[in-house]
Amino acid sequence: QSGIVSAVSGRFRGNQQQFVEVIKQIADGSNQQAGDAAASAESMNDLSGNISDIGEGIDTISESIADIDAICAGAQQSVSRLNDKAAASHSALLLVHQDIGSLDAELGQINEITRLITGISKKTNILAINASIEAARAGSAGRGFAVVAE
């Protein structure tokens, strides 16, 4: 029986060493899993921080878009007012153009009248010179005529 106990004891010792080895492997695996879990948790925290940063960036972009929208609305109103003023200026320019056309026609008429008056004036000067010559020929009798000629 001593031999059997010794054999069982030897097998128990071998099994015990295998058991200890398996427990060491399980402990190592558990430590590795714990390290992996900690790394995963850290990665998740980093991911959470990045998502938070992205959310803040989106909020900033959203605010900027709202500001740009307001600026565009103001610019659109300004352009609309400028268009209205340009249309009014165009209408005034058309009226000025029409007035200039009318003034040009009237100046043409004034030029015609001026030419007519100038012609009459030349003829009157020639007539006055002739009357002065005739008054001078008549001598003292033509003195009254000379006054009229002047």
Side-chain angles (χ1 to χ4, degrees):
Q1 286 202 343
S2 168
I4 293 173
V5 171
S6 177
V8 170
S9 177
R11 276 189 290 175
F12 181 74
R13 207 177 273 145
N15 286 343
Q16 183 183 10
Q17 286 178 354
Q18 284 179 348
F19 184 70
V20 168
E21 193 61 36
V22 168
I23 289 177
K24 279 184 182 179
Q25 288 175 357
I26 290 172
D28 289 344
S30 293
N31 284 337
Q32 186 176 0
Q33 284 181 348
D36 290 346
S40 293
E42 186 177 333
S43 294
M44 292 299 266
N45 285 336
D46 289 345
L47 181 61
S48 175
N50 289 340
I51 289 172
S52 177
D53 291 345
I54 289 171
E56 290 173 5
I58 289 172
D59 289 344
T60 301
I61 290 170
S62 178
E63 290 171 4
S64 296
I65 288 172
D67 292 343
I68 289 170
D69 187 43
I71 290 169
C72 286
Q76 187 176 14
Q77 289 176 352
S78 295
V79 168
S80 178
R81 285 192 302 268
L82 285 174
N83 281 339
D84 293 343
K85 289 179 181 181
S89 295
H90 181 69
S91 297
L93 183 63
L94 289 176
L95 290 175
V96 168
H97 182 59
Q98 289 174 352
D99 289 345
I100 288 173
S102 297
L103 286 174
D104 187 45
E106 290 174 6
L107 281 174
Q109 291 174 349
I110 290 172
N111 280 338
E112 275 302 310
I113 293 170
T114 303
R115 277 189 223 134
L116 182 64
I117 291 172
T118 301
I120 292 171
S121 175
K122 285 181 184 179
K123 289 179 184 178
T124 302
N125 284 341
I126 292 173
L127 185 61
I129 290 171
N130 284 338
S132 293
I133 293 171
E134 291 301 319
R137 245 192 241 168
S140 62
R143 229 185 257 184
F145 194 65
V147 170
V148 171
E150 282 212 28

